[in-house]
């Protein structure tokens, strides 16, 4: 089986919400297209006049609610997700008629929001989230085009794409079983294996990786804090009220555990998710839609449980292993496998992080991840109106609470008594996702998306 060569910082990405596959991925695709066009022959560029981007599949069906149009435009204009200024996407959306100029080979090429076109939902491209970027001449004829695929978690591929050249990992694994065998054979913890691999693959030093992890944890915390300050309604026609601050107040008013702790955990998950839904900067963990689950546990460990940052970092690396294995053997995209791949995987990652950070052996860590994922199997992706709000925000809170509970269940029994392995749960998720109708995979054509009364 091929082994995992994903870097930590390509899974955990800082960028604007509300969707890694529909916002961050398309923004990257727009930027990549302009870069590739810059290298085209001068004679071709001399004829270029406009750019157009056609959205297919789920990007076409729910792109409007996910900010895809503005994200593609921002990418064409040179914005990187990690540097996206707050408020840029709503501003581009508000200035619909504005014509923007892109310099290509010393010539101006024009583009506006109207050039981001919603095309067929059913298509023959190899991935559901497809977009075709085109360079046009003055008559509207296509001079050059490239199809990009937003494959989940902000990752982008295209025809002929090759995985980035990384060094070889020290410890090669493609499944939890293989990782567990390495843990046993080498007498190492999961975090030690992850750190050694990251250093070998990327050439980064240990302090550089730790700095990067600290920044990710801090950005997660900031997304919770920004969300706790938020009030009013989220963008879009659903008029969903921001509730994190109310839940947080309620947590303070309760006197005793467990209600107090769970209410606080809910408020943290709501806070980061509402920040995501409003286009604020979040960390994909593993996606934007699921960006409230891990931050809720990180915030609770830092502020309510006073767990040290070193332990949280080590737990975070165990969570990364779970995310890598899920992505490698199934998918982390709602458009590919439904919400089980987003909130389900996020909950499994959070359960692993929490269990590891509290000092439990790696077998408990694996089992906690399995329990959390198992109880998300079959969950569809059916965001109402295509907005990452209903059911996404509450689902983040449920994912965080399930992660906490999965850790309690797994650490309360003998690890050998658990009958289902994490690999088996991931394989079940992949099979369930394959069999799931496309109307339940981020197209907003079925399920809750068409049953909810929103006005
Ligand atoms: S329902 Fe789940 S997978 Fe779908 S957009 Fe919402 S959080 Fe993402």
């Amino acid at each position: 089986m091929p082994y995992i060569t994903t870097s930590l910082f390509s899974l955990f990405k800082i960028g604007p919400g509300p969707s890694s596959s529909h916002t961050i991925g398309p923004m990257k695709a727009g930027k990549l297209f302009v870069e590739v066009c810059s290298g085209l022959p001068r004679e071709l560029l001399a004829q270029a006049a406009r750019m157009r981007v056609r959205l297919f599949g789920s990007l076409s069906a729910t792109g409007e609610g996910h900010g895809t149009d503005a994200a593609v435009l921002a990418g064409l204009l040179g914005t990187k997700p990690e540097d996206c200024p707050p408020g840029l996407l709503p501003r581009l959306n508000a200035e619909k008629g504005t014509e923007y100029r892109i310099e290509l080979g010393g010539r101006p090429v024009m583009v506006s929001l109207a050039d981001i076109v919603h095309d067929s939902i059913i298509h023959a491209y190899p991935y559901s989230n497809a977009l075709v970027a085109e360079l046009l001449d003055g008559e509207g004829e296509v001079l050059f085009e490239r199809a990009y695929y937003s494959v989940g978690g902000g990752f982008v591929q295209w025809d002929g794409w090759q995985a980035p050249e990384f060094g070889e990992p020290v410890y090669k694994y493609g499944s939890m079983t293989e990782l567990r065998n390495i843990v046993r054979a080498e007498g190492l913890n999961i975090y030690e294996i992850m750190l050694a691999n990251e250093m070998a693959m990327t050439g980064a030093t240990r302090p550089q990786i730790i700095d990067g992890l600290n920044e990710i944890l801090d950005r997660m915390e900031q997304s919770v804090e920004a969300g706790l300050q938020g009030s009013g309604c989220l963008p879009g026609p659903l008029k969903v009220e921001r509730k994190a601050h109310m839940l947080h107040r309620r947590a303070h008013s309760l006197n005793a555990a467990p209600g107090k702790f769970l209410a606080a955990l809910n408020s943290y998950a709501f806070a980061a998710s509402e920040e995501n839904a409003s286009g604020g900067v979040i960390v994909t963990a593993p996606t934007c839609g699921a960006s409230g689950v891990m931050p809720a546990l990180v915030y609770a460990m830092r502020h309510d449980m006073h767990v040290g940052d070193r332990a949280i970092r080590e737990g975070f690396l165990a969570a990364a292993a779970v995310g890598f294995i899920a992505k490698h053997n199934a998918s982390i995209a709602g458009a590919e496998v439904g919400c089980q791949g987003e909130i389900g995987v996020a909950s499994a990652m959070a359960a692993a992080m929490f269990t590891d950070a509290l000092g439990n052996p790696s077998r408990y860590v694996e089992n906690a991840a399995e329990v959390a994922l198992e109880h998300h199997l079959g969950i569809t992706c059916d965001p109402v109106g295509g907005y990452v709000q209903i059911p996404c925000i509450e689902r983040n809170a449920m994912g965080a609470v399930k992660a906490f509970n999965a850790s309690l269940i797994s650490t309360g029994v003998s690890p050998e008594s658990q009958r289902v392995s994490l690999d088996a749960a991931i394989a079940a998720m992949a099979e369930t996702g394959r069999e799931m109708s496309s109307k339940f995979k981020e197209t907003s054509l079925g399920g809750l998306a068409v049953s909810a009364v929103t006005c």
Side-chain angles (χ1 to χ4, degrees):
M1 182 194 282
Y3 49 85
I4 291 167
T5 54
T6 314
S7 161
L8 292 169
F9 302 105
S10 55
L11 185 67
F12 298 102
K13 288 185 287 292
I14 299 164
S19 166
S20 43
S21 56
H22 288 55
T23 315
I24 293 181
M27 183 181 286
K28 280 186 174 174
K31 186 161 190 315
L32 286 167
F33 184 65
V34 171
E35 283 166 10
V36 82
C37 285
S38 319
L40 291 173
R42 289 194 84 77
E43 359 11 305
L44 197 73
L45 291 181
Q47 302 170 54
R50 287 202 81 81
M51 283 192 177
R52 178 172 64 195
V53 176
R54 294 185 292 135
L55 307 176
F56 292 87
S58 171
L59 294 183
S60 173
T62 63
E64 196 181 337
H66 287 78
T68 307
D69 307 42
V72 173
L73 180 60
L76 293 172
L77 299 176
T79 308
K80 287 198 229 164
E82 59 273 32
D83 299 333
C84 183
L88 174 66
L89 301 190
R91 198 166 69 244
L92 291 175
N93 263 327
E95 296 165 358
K96 271 200 166 48
T98 306
E99 290 277 322
Y100 299 93
R101 183 186 161 114
I102 299 166
E103 289 290 329
L104 275 184
R107 282 176 52 84
V109 172
M110 305 307 290
V111 68
S112 77
L113 202 65
D115 295 307
I116 318 299
V117 182
H118 290 241
D119 213 307
S120 327
I121 295 174
I122 308 294
H123 61 76
Y125 293 103
Y127 293 91
S128 166
N129 292 325
L131 61 88
V132 176
E134 300 168 329
L135 186 64
L136 309 174
D137 68 12
E139 308 297 317
E141 293 297 320
V142 177
L143 297 169
F144 174 75
E145 67 174 26
R146 177 166 282 183
Y148 291 92
Y149 313 115
S150 182
V151 296
F155 290 90
V156 175
Q157 297 181 12
W158 52 91
D159 297 329
W161 174 87
Q162 302 219 308
E165 286 278 322
F166 281 131
E168 287 287 294
V170 184
Y171 302 106
K172 297 184 172 71
Y173 67 93
S175 65
M176 193 69 216
T177 306
E178 291 172 1
L179 181 57
R180 190 194 316 132
N181 289 340
I182 295 168
V183 166
R184 280 198 188 131
E186 304 289 333
L188 295 171
N189 289 311
I190 295 174
Y191 78 86
E192 291 168 312
I193 293 167
M194 301 298 287
L195 266 181
N197 279 358
E198 186 74 12
M199 287 192 284
M201 287 191 300
T202 65
T205 63
R206 192 184 177 96
Q208 284 170 332
I209 295 168
I210 289 177
D211 281 354
L213 291 173
N214 286 340
E215 163 147 33
I216 297 276
L217 290 170
D218 289 347
R219 292 290 198 119
M220 283 185 167
E221 175 160 330
Q222 285 160 18
S223 68
V224 172
E225 287 188 337
L228 289 175
Q229 306 296 324
S231 59
C233 285
L234 293 169
L238 304 180
K239 302 283 173 249
V240 173
E241 199 177 353
R242 295 181 74 133
K243 302 185 185 78
H245 61 290
M246 298 182 235
L247 292 167
H248 197 227
R249 257 204 319 273
R250 166 133 170 91
H252 276 289
S253 73
L254 292 169
N255 290 323
K260 190 176 182 67
F261 178 76
L262 290 181
L265 194 60
N266 282 325
S267 74
Y268 306 150
F270 265 71
S273 306
E274 287 173 355
E275 206 45 27
N276 176 63
S278 66
V281 173
I282 49 77
V283 179
T284 61
T287 63
C288 288
S291 61
V293 179
M294 283 188 65
L297 270 301
V298 166
Y299 202 87
M301 283 195 285
R302 276 183 163 180
H303 293 268
D304 299 288
M305 301 173 69
H306 309 293
V307 178
D309 267 0
R310 183 184 171 145
I312 296 175
R313 264 197 318 269
E314 291 174 359
F316 193 85
L317 289 167
V322 171
F324 288 170
I325 293 166
K327 182 175 187 302
H328 190 70
N329 295 289
S331 170
I332 54 170
E336 304 283 340
V337 293
C339 198
Q340 51 177 356
E342 295 205 13
I343 298 290
V345 172
S347 185
M349 292 166 69
M353 173 181 69
F354 188 74
T355 307
D356 188 285
L358 296 193
N360 293 289
S362 56
R363 195 62 213 268
Y364 288 101
V365 172
E366 171 189 348
N367 286 353
E370 188 284 319
V371 172
L373 183 61
E374 182 180 319
H375 298 288
H376 284 91
L377 289 180
I379 296 187
T380 57
C381 169
D382 45 6
V384 175
Y387 287 80
V388 191
Q389 298 177 6
I390 306 170
C392 316
I393 295 169
E394 281 178 10
R395 200 164 278 173
N396 273 269
M398 299 305 284
V401 171
K402 279 192 199 177
F404 175 67
N405 202 27
S407 183
L408 288 181
I409 290 171
S410 307
T411 54
V413 297
S414 155
E416 305 309 327
S417 67
Q418 188 146 325
R419 286 284 171 266
V420 182
S421 68
L422 179 60
D423 288 333
I426 289 172
M429 175 175 77
E431 185 195 358
T432 309
R434 268 195 307 274
E435 300 285 322
M436 199 181 272
S437 162
S438 67
K439 69 183 183 178
F440 301 123
K441 293 195 280 193
E442 212 164 358
T443 55
S444 289
L445 295 175
L448 197 69
V450 296
S451 327
V453 177
T454 55
C455 57

